[in-house]
Structures are given as C-alpha cells and as structure tokens.
Amino acid sequence: MPVLVASDLDRTLIYSSAALALTMPDARAPRLLCVEVHESKPLSYMTETAAQLLTELGDAAVFVPTTTRTRKQYQRINLPGPQPAFAICANGGHLLVDGVTDTDWHARVLARLADECAPLAEVQEQLTRTADPVWLRKQRVAEDLFAYLVVERELLPPDWVKEFAAWAENRGWTVSLQGRKLYAVPKPLTKSAAVHEVARRTGAELTLAAGDSLLDADLLLAADRGWRPGHGELADTGWLAQGISALPERGVLAGERILREFLRGAEQ
C-alpha cells in the first residue's frame, strides 16, 4: 500500500531569507537552491541536499505539500522532483488534484465552517478595531476563508495576542503567530481533514507528517508518525505528543533531517 507523506512547507521544508538566519554562520552555510521567485525576487530556498532527498521521496511515497498558503502563493513554488498529484492549500480549504481545485471538497469545507464557527467578517471587524497601526503593517484575507496580519514582531504586545486569541477561541477560531504573520483561522479548517481525504483516495495505510507551527499540530496528531523541527511555535512551547519526534535541527538543515526521516519511514 502507498505511504502518504504530508508536509508543511514554510519553515519546515523551505525557508525564506529571514528564516535562513536560524541555521548557522555564513561561513558554514550549505549550498542552496531557490524554489520560489516572486516579482523577479528570490523568496524561498532549500539546500541542494534537501532537493535531492525530496526528488527521491517523490518516487518512494505519495508526497502531499500541505500549506496554509493560498493557491496562488503555493503555485509560485517550484519544488524539485515529480509534480505532486495532490496538494493541500489554505490550511485545508482547497484540495488540489493535478493542480486543480476539487470543488466538491471545497463545498464541504464551506458548509462545515458555516455550521461550526463565527463568520470571517466578524473576525475581520475585531482585527480592524483592535490592531494598532504602530505594529500592524498589513491586514489580509486568504481565499475568503481566514485572515492574517503582517506585524512588526518586536512591537507586537503579547497581551494583545493573548486577548485576541481568547476572543477568537470563544467564536470557534484559533490564533497562530508565525514569524511576522499572525493568523486567525476557523477551527474546522484543518490540514488533517484534507490529509484524511487524500489517504482515503490513495488507499494509503501509513501517513507521515511534519510541521513547525500551531496550525500543524492537528496534522501531526493525525499522522502515524510526525516530526517537528527545533524552531517554530511548537518547539517554542515544547509541544509533543505520542508518535511525534522533536528534532534538534533548526533552520534549513531541519528540512534535510525531516526529508531523511520521511525516506526512512517510506522505505520500511
């Protein structure tokens, strides 16, 4: 039976220039491959070794990129290896099959959101009312499913984050702070639900997963085995669960380690 490998992308397998700073001094930096360009500027990288490992993984398992990025943002990425037959975007809101949205899946997601949590407009209004221009740089809506802010992290008051998270929790939403982005996402909008759907369609009986943020916790819990790097929200809070391995590697080298673990798991 096929092995399904569902992995977060940003700060798990691919890294921005800012995230590369987590890795090591310049003199010891590994050779990098650019995997994302936007407006003629390179944005995201992985090591050349990781690129080779991902190519091997594409032949050994059903590899499913699993990201909070919108479809447009995901499609900017040019990953090495075979083109994935499935990809999960917008935190599970869109399931791409051969690059095209599965409209039935998206309709099921929308119906669940309407039944189980406060509407996006209410969350947007709360963000607009309470966010301070001193630290707020941008406010965005992704795929009409969730909202996020781009913030000056060093100016963002921790008390505001806690108060907003408590407000959102009571309305069926979760809050996640990743680098300079603060996400407000409906609780029913999960990567794990979409991964379960891919497992059903492919007949996979073993699922492996990796991720670094609070929005990846449900994905890791849904997998048979999971890995988190030594950086990110989950590492910062010491989050662990049965079947989850906490890796010591931080930054872009964590991507290499995760891919090695995926290959070992797929080949057993």
Side-chain angles (χ1 to χ4, degrees), residues 12 30 47-50 53 252-261:
T12 299
T47 69
E48 290 185 350
T49 298
L53 292 169
V252 70
L253 292 183
E256 286 187 14
R257 174 68 184 275
I258 287 166
L259 286 164
R260 288 192 177 95
E261 298 294 341

Side-chain angles (χ1 to χ4, degrees), residues 25-42:
D26 289 349
R28 296 174 53 204
R31 287 169 60 91
L32 299 173
L33 174 70
C34 179
V35 295
E36 179 186 12
V37 175
H38 181 52
E39 295 179 347
S40 302
K41 297 178 181 178

Side-chain angles (χ1 to χ4, degrees), residues 29-168:
R31 287 169 60 91
L32 299 173
L33 174 70
C34 179
V35 295
E36 179 186 12
V37 175
H38 181 52
E39 295 179 347
S40 302
K41 297 178 181 178
L43 287 188
S44 299
Y45 305 84
M46 61 196 321
T47 69
E48 290 185 350
T49 298
Q52 179 59 42
L53 292 169
L54 183 55
T55 299
E56 294 174 22
L57 182 65
D59 293 327
V62 178
F63 173 63
V64 184
T66 307
T67 180
T68 305
R69 286 182 177 229
T70 65
R71 289 168 293 174
K72 185 176 180 180
Q73 291 167 340
Y74 165 70
Q75 288 163 349
R76 295 198 305 247
I77 302 171
N78 184 19
L79 293 172
Q83 183 71 20
F86 298 94
I88 294 164
C89 296
N91 215 62
H94 285 282
L95 173 59
L96 306 187
V97 182
D98 294 326
V100 178
T101 291
D102 185 307
T103 54
D104 288 341
W105 171 258
H106 185 58
R108 286 159 58 187
V109 169
L110 293 179
R112 189 175 177 194
L113 298 188
D115 287 344
E116 298 182 24
C117 56
L120 173 61
E122 184 177 340
V123 176
Q124 287 180 271
E125 192 279 331
Q126 179 71 3
L127 287 170
T128 300
R129 187 176 65 82
T130 62
D132 190 333
V134 169
W135 47 260
L136 177 64
R137 294 297 170 259
K138 297 177 185 177
Q139 181 173 337
R140 295 286 186 266
V141 170
E143 302 270 20
D144 291 325
L145 292 169
F146 62 90
Y148 66 93
L149 307 181
V150 180
V151 302
E152 291 293 344
R153 182 71 179 261
E154 64 276 9
L155 301 177
L156 180 65
D159 287 346
W160 182 90
V161 177
K162 291 178 183 178
E163 290 170 7
F164 177 64
W167 179 92

